[in-house]
Amino acid sequence: MTSSSVVAPETVAAEHPHWRRNLAVCSVGTFTTMIAMTLLLPYLPVYVGQLGVHSQAAVAMWSGVAYAGAFVTASVAAPVWGRLGDRYGRKSMLVRAGFGMAVTTALLGVVQSPWQLVAVRLLVGLAGGYSSGSTILVAAQAPRERSAWALGIVATGNMAGTVVGPLVGGWVPAWIGIRWTFFASALLILVAAVGTVAFVREDRPRGAKAPTPTPVAGDRSAAVPARITLLLGVSAMVAFATTSVEPVLTLVVHHLHPAAGNVAGLAGFVFTATAVGALVSAPRLGRLADRVGHVPVIVGSLATAAVLTAVQATVTDVWALVVLRLLLGLALGGILPSVMAAVRQLVPVERTGRVLGMGVSAQYVGQVLGPITGGAVAGFAPLHGVFLVTAAVLAVAAAFAAGAMPRRARRGPLVNARSR
């Protein structure tokens, strides 16, 4: 692919003079909202038990359904919000998501039954989407040759939030109670919403139309939409794999260490290990993908993650599980930024929100199926079966990406990398 077949990076940067500032604000906002959204992971099974569910199978099932509930409605809403962002501004979508998530998260603290918990989680997904909105805004504004790196920075904020969230969620409910923890989470999200209003800048002259860039592909064949479909499928499988184990990890920790005094606190370390690994690797693998190509990074990371996940099914010690989850995070960190950067380079800028909204929707589909599948496997089969199912999905994703990508896409990045 020649350099003439893409929009010049200087043009994109000139159209969005605030992209660096917005990248910083969105990364911090994503960090704050992800703390709030992942606080519930260690104590979600405990909360389900307090709502009147008692058997392990039922707790696992309700935890999986409640966790997945937000992703059900988000998968439907994401393309709609993306399209509206293209038309009315992506900042407005971030503000909407921030305030919507703050209100619905507070409502989680007043539910009285597992059915109400699931219903409010559905509302969280419908009203939310700050992290995905940040991804779309940064992808649309960052220069193409730095897109994977910039998305890796946003992913770093995301993963940093998932590091802090489960750790805090493992201990704060013991101090202030589970219901007050939801109210504290809502306050954190509100901070992100206010910061977005104050600091994000988006130049969208009223009545002006977005410029039409030169198509990325040199021809108008079916190759580009087919490639986009492939990338969206891979992102769905990655999202499945990263969420399938999460609702039952607390049960796994209890199985490995039944004498633990604070199972939720110990489970927080397990959740955190994966996020720490991804936090370290996301910007580095993003930078590597910008230089050597997105496909090699995606395939190599998926294959490595499949092996590491399968090994987790054999562990008999909690701290061995922590180490393996850390290594898994290192492998997973660069996959979704690379996928989203590749999709971004295949679409014109005025359709970024629409297409990346479909990408977010594909991830939500995986995040819906992952927890439900993990909860079902944990309820009706040995707990280690969750790891084996997840490893199989990652292996399929790696084989799919390696076998279905066009040869030209395998040789290097979708645009010519420039030295930084």
Side-chain angles (χ1 to χ4, degrees), residues 199-264:
F199 299 113
V200 169
R201 296 290 181 266
E202 183 180 26
D203 296 332
R204 294 180 62 85
R206 182 170 298 180
K209 295 183 178 180
T212 302
T214 305
V216 170
D219 55 52
R220 305 307 299 169
S221 69
V224 168
R227 191 180 304 172
I228 291 174
T229 300
L230 167 68
L231 291 168
L232 299 187
V234 170
S235 68
M237 286 185 277
V238 172
F240 175 99
T242 55
T243 58
S244 59
V245 177
E246 289 183 342
V248 299
L249 265 182
T250 301
L251 300 176
V252 173
V253 170
H254 178 68
H255 176 75
L256 295 175
H257 196 346
N262 186 351
V263 174

Side-chain angles (χ1 to χ4, degrees), residues 40-319:
L40 84 165
L41 287 174
Y43 64 81
L44 180 59
V46 179
Y47 193 40
V48 170
Q50 291 182 1
L51 294 176
V53 181
H54 303 296
S55 71
Q56 175 177 301
V59 168
M61 183 194 70
W62 279 109
S63 297
V65 172
Y67 185 70
F71 303 121
V72 172
T73 47
S75 65
V76 176
V80 177
W81 297 137
R83 183 186 294 267
L84 291 176
D86 287 338
R87 176 173 295 183
Y88 299 111
R90 298 176 181 104
K91 175 182 176 178
S92 64
M93 293 298 102
L94 283 179
V95 173
R96 174 205 55 77
F99 285 105
M101 291 167 66
V103 172
T104 52
T105 299
L107 290 177
L108 289 172
V110 300
V111 300
Q112 300 296 321
S113 70
W115 283 107
Q116 292 178 7
L117 177 64
V118 171
V120 177
R121 286 287 293 172
L122 291 172
L123 289 177
V124 171
L126 181 63
Y130 187 94
S131 177
S132 59
S134 295
T135 298
I136 292 173
L137 186 143
V138 170
Q141 293 186 348
R144 288 175 183 262
E145 86 284 3
R146 305 193 70 180
S147 57
W149 172 80
L151 290 171
I153 296 297
V154 176
T156 298
N158 188 306
M159 293 301 172
T162 62
V163 169
V164 177
L167 280 178
V168 175
W171 302 97
V172 169
W175 300 336
I176 65 175
I178 289 179
R179 294 185 183 275
W180 279 102
T181 302
F182 283 116
F183 300 145
S185 300
L187 181 60
L188 284 176
I189 299 173
L190 185 62
V191 170
V194 172
T196 301
V197 173
F199 299 113
V200 169
R201 296 290 181 266
E202 183 180 26
D203 296 332
R204 294 180 62 85
R206 182 170 298 180
K209 295 183 178 180
T212 302
T214 305
V216 170
D219 55 52
R220 305 307 299 169
S221 69
V224 168
R227 191 180 304 172
I228 291 174
T229 300
L230 167 68
L231 291 168
L232 299 187
V234 170
S235 68
M237 286 185 277
V238 172
F240 175 99
T242 55
T243 58
S244 59
V245 177
E246 289 183 342
V248 299
L249 265 182
T250 301
L251 300 176
V252 173
V253 170
H254 178 68
H255 176 75
L256 295 175
H257 196 346
N262 186 351
V263 174
L266 188 57
F269 286 104
V270 180
F271 283 111
T272 299
T274 308
V276 167
L279 171 65
V280 171
S281 68
R284 291 166 175 81
L285 290 178
R287 187 184 297 271
L288 179 65
D290 284 333
R291 291 179 176 174
V292 306
H294 303 108
V295 177
V297 171
I298 293 169
V299 174
S301 297
L302 284 169
T304 302
V307 173
L308 290 170
T309 303
V311 174
Q312 291 174 47
T314 67
V315 300
T316 58
D317 179 77
V318 172
W319 297 111

Side-chain angles (χ1 to χ4, degrees), residues 391-418:
V393 171
L394 287 167
V396 169
F400 186 45
M405 268 298 197
R407 290 181 177 272
R408 182 170 56 184
R410 297 181 192 177
R411 293 181 187 137
L414 294 177
V415 296
N416 294 330
R418 297 175 60 199

